[in-house]
Amino acid sequence: MTAQDYMAKFGHSFRIYNHCTDKNGILRVKTLCDLLNDVAEMHTIIQHADVATLNKGGHTWMLRRMHLCMPDMPSQGRNVCVETWNPEVDGLLVPRLYKVSDEKDGLLRAFAYTDWMMVNLHTMRPDRPTEAMKAISGLCSEQLPPASPLLGPMERKTGFRPDATWSDPFPCRAVYSDIDFNGHLTQSSYIQRMIDAHGAAFLDTRRIKEMEVVYAREIKPDAGFLVRFKQEGASVSYVVTDSCQTSLHAWARAVWA
């Protein structure tokens, strides 16, 4: 492959070890998200768009939205190939796609659509993608399977406002091991806390198949926060708020089977 090929699309192989899985030997959703981030980091280094390089220009990456589809999560002992590429820049958003395939049978195990923003470290507000980022986006034309939005247009913008029909608050804290390169709670830790809020009785009999998450405000180290959810059949909506339930940090909707 040429340097242009690696710039357009990047893949890396992983083995699913015991520490990556739940008690049933199935890859954890949080670990899947961490693997996606690892491959994205490897790709951005090749693209000269990694966090260290962006920091020199006064920017960093911030995830705005993730739509994760898990039709057939890999199990312990399997080898998977995780691939990533960038479609064309869309306004302030820099999309990044991911595909997880089984190396033995070639079957698609999981895939994800994500939207990232280049954030100005001085103003902490989004900046338009650089010309260099625009130039390396859209070089790969591969398409993922379609994924219908789980959140409506207004839900993507404003999130949810829980009422008495939602679950009791599930208290959490942003511990040191949850913190990412920006000094905030990692995106996968938001998802893990949403899943944990259900408890063992629910999780022993259900498996998450799809999830769309919007990230709005960072959670800093040692900060307390709350998770609430509302289940409607196979669909579950979530909110992550501050301890006073006045500020929304993230919201999501998932499909469970």
Side-chain angles (χ1 to χ4, degrees):
M1 294 177 69
T2 66
Q4 182 81 348
D5 293 329
Y6 283 113
M7 192 82 74
K9 182 181 179 182
F10 179 79
H12 189 78
S13 296
F14 295 94
R15 184 167 180 82
I16 307 303
Y17 291 102
N18 181 58
H19 69 271
C20 302
T21 66
D22 61 18
K23 69 176 188 178
N24 297 312
I26 304 299
L27 181 66
R28 294 189 182 95
V29 178
K30 182 183 187 303
T31 307
L32 171 64
C33 293
D34 289 338
L35 294 181
L36 301 185
N37 277 342
D38 287 344
V39 173
E41 180 183 18
M42 297 178 205
H43 193 206
T44 57
I45 290 172
I46 294 171
Q47 294 174 314
H48 306 293
D50 55 292
V51 171
T53 300
L54 288 188
N55 285 173
K56 294 176 183 178
H59 291 91
T60 192
W61 286 116
M62 193 75 74
L63 180 61
R64 171 59 179 169
R65 185 184 70 91
M66 167 181 277
H67 191 153
L68 187 61
C69 300
M70 298 157 283
D72 189 15
M73 283 283 263
S75 57
Q76 180 184 344
R78 308 295 291 193
N79 293 316
V80 296
C81 180
V82 183
E83 299 173 282
T84 186
W85 63 98
N86 296 105
E88 291 186 358
V89 168
D90 181 15
L92 290 174
L93 300 176
V94 180
R96 178 172 286 278
L97 307 184
Y98 302 86
K99 182 173 73 171
V100 181
S101 304
D102 194 296
E103 288 196 335
K104 184 175 182 180
D105 56 28
L107 293 178
L108 182 65
R109 300 296 185 181
F111 58 96
Y113 292 83
T114 63
D115 291 323
W116 295 78
M117 296 186 297
M118 299 183 76
V119 174
N120 188 303
L121 289 173
H122 302 292
T123 65
M124 294 309 298
R125 297 182 63 83
D127 271 353
R128 291 197 171 276
T130 62
E131 292 303 317
M133 192 65 231
K134 292 179 183 179
I136 59 178
S137 299
L139 297 177
C140 176
S141 60
E142 183 173 349
Q143 300 291 314
L144 289 176
S148 299
L150 299 181
L151 299 171
M154 287 306 299
E155 290 173 336
R156 283 190 182 185
K157 290 182 179 180
T158 62
F160 305 111
R161 297 295 172 183
D163 54 31
T165 64
W166 287 59
S167 70
D168 291 335
F170 177 67
C172 307
R173 188 169 68 89
V175 298
Y176 189 82
S177 59
D178 289 331
I179 305 306
D180 67 7
F181 53 81
N182 284 323
H184 307 143
L185 191 75
T186 67
Q187 50 91 357
S188 62
S189 293
Y190 283 88
I191 293 175
Q192 185 62 60
R193 297 302 191 279
M194 294 179 199
I195 293 173
D196 288 341
H198 287 287
F202 178 91
L203 298 175
D204 273 343
T205 59
R206 301 291 188 97
R207 189 164 303 284
I208 192 168
K209 305 298 288 186
E210 188 175 359
M211 190 175 202
E212 184 176 3
V213 188
V214 174
Y215 300 90
R217 296 180 67 244
E218 71 276 6
I219 298 177
K220 297 182 179 180
D222 294 329
F225 60 97
L226 302 172
V227 177
R228 297 182 70 184
F229 64 87
K230 181 177 181 178
Q231 183 177 352
E232 298 173 291
S235 175
V236 182
S237 302
Y238 302 86
V239 291
V240 179
T241 70
D242 64 356
S243 296
C244 298
Q245 300 190 61
T246 56
S247 297
L248 273 173
H249 289 286
W251 55 91
R253 180 169 287 134
V255 176
W256 292 80

